[in-house]
Amino acid sequence: MRLVRGENGWWCIGRSATALLPDRLVENGDLTAEGREQLNAMGIDVVQAPDHYSLTVVTSTGCNLGCSYCFQNTPDGRRRIAPARLDARTVARCVEFTEKKMAELGVRRLELLLFGGEPLLNPAGCLQVLRAFGARMPVTASMISNGVLLTPRTAARLHEAGLGHLQVTLDGERDRHDRTRVTRGGRPTFDLILANVASAQRHTGLRFTVRVNVTPDVLPHLGTLLDQAAAVLDVPGTNLAIAPVLDYGAGVPAPDARAAEQAVQACARAAELGFRLVRPRDDHCDFCSEADGRLGAVVAPDGTLFSCWDAVGENDLAVGELDSGYSNESRARWRRCGGELPRTQAFSDALDAGVLDVIRARKEVTRP
Ligand code: SF4
């Protein structure tokens, strides 16, 4: 559960719901006994019995872009992950592993995420995963992609195979984005990403979330970014989320609570334009909150298991593999996502509280 200070009280973000509490129920950033009692009565932080298993499959560790802050594919070679692609044999191993874990958990529905690197560097692998699972169980399927390779034909085939949702990322308005999020050959990507998303929105039923990565120098220009995106995208069909860039050693400055004011203003403007704001979440993660993949697993292209997305490809953080399951060292190697969170916590808390204030004002709550 998280407590974040909003305009009219404290937002309590729990596992099952979010509530706004009056100031008197929070002291020194913690719930009073009465506050705790009220939250329990409202069932805000109730952990429901799982109704799905979560699986992230990395279809390609390589990427066609070279974002300077990337923890997976840094242009200077720091912590670069060896290129690897998922093949049909590993897809079959994924299905076998996942069916076993789902039987243990007692669930029938799968929440599947296709991830990279850039997953669309291996479109055949993405289609194989979607079709293999879709043929055997109810699946809710998403992808995190940079969007550059999302041609109209690829979007249509992915949607036909069962993909429902894609998240793409912008690194600021056109000029700033095109300084950071460039191809390996240095070509800009802003207009191409938006054109690909807009085309997929027109021709398929795919849903989209645009995540805007922010650093302090991007924040004053978010209004321009929103206007540029709104000119191209199906705005009411697009979720919008603002997030800080985590520093994986690239020297990216962290935005602070003051910077969050600019981000919240941008969220208010985005809501006015008709974008749907993504509802802030508590800090539970199906992949890494519990050990040994009880609620979810992250699988690399060669079938190695990792505890979270951040760890993929780092061999000393491998926690098992598909055929034999989690290893004896898995708990010692377990890493939780958001390892850089303390650096950006003040910003994220203030931003999330502001987003909830905006959503409350507009009576609009959207899940990604
Ligand atoms: S698009 Fe994603 S995976 Fe590729 S370099 Fe940029 S941040 Fe890294």
Side-chain angles (χ1 to χ4, degrees):
M1 188 191 70
R2 293 172 60 203
L3 269 178
V4 292
R5 184 78 177 86
E7 243 174 31
N8 301 299
W10 287 84
W11 286 105
C12 175
I13 308 170
R15 280 288 289 278
S16 27
T18 297
L20 182 61
L21 304 179
D23 286 342
R24 65 182 173 77
L25 296 182
V26 177
E27 266 173 23
N28 303 320
D30 207 355
L31 287 170
T32 61
E34 187 191 350
R36 232 168 263 289
E37 218 172 276
Q38 288 205 13
L39 279 190
N40 288 342
M42 287 189 276
I44 297 296
D45 204 28
V46 173
V47 180
Q48 311 282 358
D51 66 352
H52 67 273
Y53 192 72
S54 293
L55 181 73
T56 291
V57 181
V58 176
T59 61
S60 160
T61 55
C63 186
N64 50 330
L65 303 191
C67 310
S68 53
Y69 54 76
C70 178
F71 68 95
Q72 293 183 327
N73 285 285
T74 53
D76 63 3
R78 287 175 302 107
R79 303 178 68 196
R80 188 187 298 277
I81 299 171
R85 286 158 64 89
L86 184 79
D87 62 19
R89 198 178 147 263
T90 310
V91 173
R93 292 167 64 208
C94 275
V95 172
E96 198 177 323
F97 168 87
T98 306
E99 285 187 326
K100 231 182 270 169
K101 298 301 281 185
M102 291 175 77
E104 282 167 21
L105 192 60
V107 296
R108 287 212 59 241
R109 189 171 67 81
L110 180 70
E111 292 208 352
L112 173 67
L113 176 74
L114 301 175
F115 191 59
E118 170 49 44
L120 290 181
L121 276 181
N122 184 6
C126 295
L127 293 170
Q128 282 165 0
V129 176
L130 290 165
R131 289 173 183 150
F133 281 104
R136 300 180 72 94
M137 62 190 72
V139 178
T140 305
S142 306
M143 176 186 287
I144 295 182
S145 163
N146 60 41
V148 168
L149 301 172
L150 188 69
T151 63
R153 180 175 144 81
T154 300
R157 295 183 78 198
L158 290 167
H159 188 49
E160 279 163 24
L163 188 72
H165 174 262
L166 263 122
Q167 177 182 294
V168 299
T169 302
L170 298 176
D171 279 349
E173 38 72 48
R174 183 179 286 106
D175 290 348
R176 273 167 186 78
H177 172 102
D178 283 342
R179 271 181 233 149
T180 309
R181 198 158 270 257
V182 292
T183 66
R184 297 256 172 219
R187 288 199 308 279
T189 61
F190 186 88
D191 288 328
L192 179 57
I193 294 167
L194 288 185
N196 284 347
V197 172
S199 170
Q201 287 178 321
R202 278 195 303 276
H203 301 296
T204 73
L206 285 169
R207 293 172 294 109
F208 283 87
T209 294
V210 173
R211 173 186 160 116
V212 181
N213 277 345
V214 293
T215 52
D217 74 313
V218 163
L219 284 160
H221 309 281
L222 286 179
T224 306
L225 160 63
L226 293 171
D227 290 339
Q228 291 169 343
V232 181
L233 300 179
D234 166 30
V235 172
T238 307
N239 299 327
L240 187 102
I242 292 178
V245 172
L246 301 181
D247 182 4
Y248 291 95
V252 177
D256 56 16
R258 280 224 327 269
E261 283 171 32
Q262 292 169 298
V264 172
Q265 281 164 13
C267 288
R269 169 93 180 113
E272 268 169 35
L273 286 168
F275 288 102
R276 300 194 293 179
L277 301 180
V278 173
R279 179 181 180 274
R281 302 181 37 189
D282 73 336
D283 54 10
H284 168 81
C285 170
D286 273 357
F287 302 108
C288 60
S289 291
E290 291 192 28
D292 293 349
R294 189 179 84 90
L295 300 174
V298 178
V299 186
D302 64 356
T304 305
L305 298 169
F306 290 91
S307 60
C308 72
W309 305 346
D310 293 15
V312 172
E314 296 198 49
N315 290 336
D316 53 343
L317 294 177
V319 293
E321 57 93 33
L322 287 170
D323 303 323
S324 55
Y326 290 85
S327 66
N328 293 336
E329 297 92 57
S330 69
R331 290 185 185 224
R333 293 176 164 201
W334 206 260
R335 178 192 276 193
R336 284 213 61 186
C337 55
E340 296 286 331
L341 220 53
R343 233 180 127 257
T344 54
Q345 191 71 58
F347 174 83
S348 296
D349 284 353
L351 172 59
D352 286 352
V355 167
L356 288 167
D357 288 337
V358 172
I359 289 173
R360 178 172 182 253
R362 302 185 68 86
K363 299 264 187 298
E364 177 193 336
V365 179
T366 304
R367 283 191 183 277

